[in-house]
Amino acid sequence: MRWHVVESYEEMSRMAAGIIAEALERNPRLVLGLATGSTPVGTYRELIKAFQEGKISFKEAFAVNLDEYVGLAPDHPQSYAYFMEEELFSHVDMPPDHRHIPRGLAPDLDEECRRYEEVIRNLGGVDLQLLGIGVNGHIGFNEPGTPFDARTHVVELTPSTREANARFFESIDEVPTHAITMGLGTILEARHILLLASGPTKREAIRALREGEPDPEWPATCLWLHKNVDVIVDREAYGE
Ligand code: GLP
C-alpha cells in the first residue's frame, strides 16, 4: 500500500486526477471504477478540466460505479446515477452506453446484483478503482462485518451511514434504508485501487487502515490483501 499524505483536499484531488489521467493516456479503453460522495468531487473537477483542455478523452473508456441506493430512480437528485451525471458524465465525452451503475429500482434486486457482476466481467474487470471511505471505514456501501469475499449485493445501511448521508436529504427519514454495492471481493479484483480521504471525520477510519492488518470491523482494511493500492489522504484525515 503506497501512502501519499498531502496538505489539502485540492492537492489530494489533483494527485488523484493525475493518476487517472495517466492511466487513461496509457489505455484509452480504461475501465474505471467510480465512486460518489463529496470526496471524489474535486477529482472529477480536475478530470473535467483536463478534458476541456484537450488533455484527456473518455470516448473509449468505461465506467462502473460502486453503488446505488435502493428505491431511488436515476433522475432522483440524491441518486448516485444523478450525482455522476452532474459531477462528471455530463461534462465529458464518455458514451452513455459505456457508463454503468447498479439500478436501484430493479424489480428483482438479486438478479440486478448478478447482472452487475456480469457487466464488470464482460468489460474484462476494473482497471482502476477509485474509492472514498465512510466514517465507519466502509468502502462502496460495504458496512462493517462484510465478508472480504462478498460480491455485489444488497445491504441494509447502518444508522451511522444513514446519518452521515442525511445531510443530502430533507430529513433522515428520506435516506434510503438499503443500497446495492459492489462487494469487497468485487472491489479487490480491480487491478489498481486508489483510495481518497479528506478531513477530520475520516481520521478514525484512516487510523484503522494505518494499523496495517485486515479487520472486518473496518471494511477498507481489506485493501491490505491487494498488491496495488494508492492511498491519498490529507493531513487532517491522516492525523499525527
Ligand atoms: C457513501 C458512499 C461511499 C463514500 C462514502 C463517503 O456512503 N457509498 O462510496 O465513500 O459515502 O462519502 P464522503 O466522500 O461524502 O465522505
Side-chain angles (χ1 to χ4, degrees):
M1 191 175 286
R2 295 173 294 267
W3 285 80
H4 312 270
V5 183
V6 297
E7 293 309 320
S8 64
Y9 177 86
E10 289 70 29
E11 200 183 337
M12 174 191 81
S13 304
R14 278 195 300 274
M15 186 183 274
I19 291 175
I20 297 171
E22 229 173 76
L24 259 177
E25 276 164 318
R26 265 199 314 272
N27 174 14
R29 292 182 59 80
L30 196 74
V31 180
L32 270 169
L34 295 179
T36 51
S38 8
T39 309
V41 168
T43 305
Y44 295 153
R45 276 198 201 124
E46 293 291 329
L47 288 173
I48 293 167
K49 201 162 94 198
F51 166 72
Q52 287 168 344
E53 289 167 355
K55 293 180 182 152
I56 54 171
S57 164
F58 294 84
K59 211 161 38 208
E60 295 178 63
F62 297 85
V64 279
N65 259 81
L66 278 172
D67 47 13
E68 179 60 286
Y69 286 116
V70 167
L72 298 193
D75 61 355
H76 186 292
Q78 299 313 331
S79 74
Y80 286 167
Y82 190 92
F83 173 100
M84 288 309 301
E85 205 50 41
E86 290 283 294
E87 302 296 342
L88 181 66
F89 294 149
S90 63
H91 306 280
V92 298
D93 59 348
M94 188 186 289
D97 63 338
H98 284 204
R99 315 165 188 168
H100 301 277
I101 189 155
R103 298 175 187 156
L105 279 186
D108 181 340
L109 294 173
D110 290 335
E111 175 51 34
E112 176 60 8
C113 294
R114 277 191 293 275
R115 184 194 71 83
Y116 206 64
E117 286 281 328
E118 206 177 298
V119 165
I120 298 170
R121 230 182 354 262
N122 290 342
L123 288 171
V126 172
D127 293 308
L128 176 53
Q129 177 68 56
L130 182 63
L131 296 175
I133 186 167
V135 288
N136 63 1
H138 74 222
I139 51 177
F141 267 132
N142 290 279
E143 298 284 31
T146 307
F148 288 168
D149 61 355
R151 311 305 309 183
T152 300
H153 60 289
V154 176
V155 282
E156 181 171 1
L157 302 176
T158 61
S160 113
T161 296
R162 292 186 68 233
E163 262 163 49
N165 292 359
R167 64 189 193 276
F168 301 111
F169 293 81
E170 301 253 307
S171 77
I172 184 131
D173 301 332
E174 287 182 25
V175 184
T177 55
H178 291 77
I180 300 180
T181 183
M182 277 189 203
L184 296 176
T186 321
I187 292 171
L188 286 172
E189 280 172 10
R191 286 180 267 275
H192 181 188
I193 296 177
L194 181 52
L195 181 133
L196 310 182
S198 164
T201 59
K202 304 297 170 67
R203 198 172 291 167
E204 217 192 326
I206 292 301
R207 187 200 44 74
L209 185 58
R210 285 174 65 184
E211 296 283 313
E213 262 178 60
D215 170 0
E217 281 318 301
W218 294 94
T221 61
C222 75
L223 298 177
W224 286 105
L225 301 172
H226 197 282
K227 295 275 177 282
N228 191 14
V229 180
D230 282 281
V231 179
I232 311 178
V233 283
D234 66 11
R235 211 155 276 288
E236 281 196 316
Y238 192 71
E240 289 318 307

